[in-house]
Every structure is written in structure tokens, then in C-alpha cells.
Amino acid sequence: MFDFFKAKPKNYEDIPVGEFHNLMLQPNTVILDVRTPGEFAGGKIRGARNIDLMSRDFTKQIQNLPKDKTYLVYCRSGNRSGQACEIMADMGFENCKNMSGGIMRWPFETV
């Protein structure tokens, strides 16, 4: 049985799409799409960089990113991006934000 009191506290923040959209306009912000290249090609948020969570070298690609930026992370539903934020936080990234509900909830423009 799952014990809520023993659950590891989240070291990233889940944010709604509106807040995600507002933060995109801030300097020092990186938008990460952790979906597959195929999903990414089917429509993405403008300016997003694709690093597939399911790829073998995900952590290797993440390691090379500067840790002093704010990372806005999204996927299709918010599940993979949450996992990606957790991995990144474990690697020392202090400012990761997961888009709640993923791109399925995104009412703004995609490219």
C-alpha cells in the first residue's frame, strides 16, 4: 500500500498552462518537450527543444544543459514531463516546472 507520509516530496513544480505560457516570455527560460521526435514533429510549442525522455541518452543530453536556467517541461499529458522534472531535479536542476495536463490542455499556438 502507498504511504503518503513516506512519499518523497516533489522537487519541481506543477504549473497550469496559463502560468507556463506567461513564464515562456521570461528571460533565462528553456522550453523542453520530452515527447518522441514523432510527437514533436506533429506540433510543438514555439521555441521548444526536443529531448525525448524515452531515449537511451536522455540523462546524457540533460547533463549538458546549464543549471542556472528555468526549465519549462511538457509532454502530451504531463506524466512524462513530471518524470523528466524529477530526473532533472535529482541531477541538481533547481528550477524545473512541469506543465499540468501537457500539450493536450494547451489553448495557445503550436507550430
Side-chain angles (χ1 to χ4, degrees), residues 11-76:
N11 38 13
Y12 65 90
E13 195 181 350
D14 289 312
I15 60 170
V17 291
E19 189 178 337
F20 190 100
H21 186 259
N22 294 341
L23 285 170
M24 283 170 46
L25 311 170
Q26 301 297 318
N28 229 13
T29 300
V30 178
I31 305 163
L32 281 186
D33 182 324
V34 296
R35 298 174 302 159
T36 65
E39 289 175 293
F40 186 72
K44 63 186 183 296
I45 294 172
R46 185 182 302 282
R49 177 173 172 184
N50 185 216
I51 303 181
D52 182 0
L53 176 67
M54 299 303 168
S55 72
R56 282 192 319 271
D57 61 349
F58 176 76
T59 50
K60 198 165 137 199
Q61 289 184 66
I62 293 296
Q63 255 170 342
N64 300 321
L65 298 174
K67 291 192 167 64
D68 61 346
K69 300 205 179 295
T70 297
Y71 289 90
L72 302 176
V73 189
Y74 75 93
C75 63
R76 191 181 63 84

Side-chain angles (χ1 to χ4, degrees), residues 58-103:
F58 176 76
T59 50
K60 198 165 137 199
Q61 289 184 66
I62 293 296
Q63 255 170 342
N64 300 321
L65 298 174
K67 291 192 167 64
D68 61 346
K69 300 205 179 295
T70 297
Y71 289 90
L72 302 176
V73 189
Y74 75 93
C75 63
R76 191 181 63 84
S77 68
N79 190 14
R80 282 174 286 175
S81 49
Q83 291 172 33
C85 284
E86 200 158 294
I87 291 166
M88 290 174 74
D90 288 345
M91 291 170 73
F93 290 85
E94 292 179 9
N95 217 344
C96 294
K97 314 238 182 252
N98 176 39
M99 183 199 293
S100 296
I103 201 166

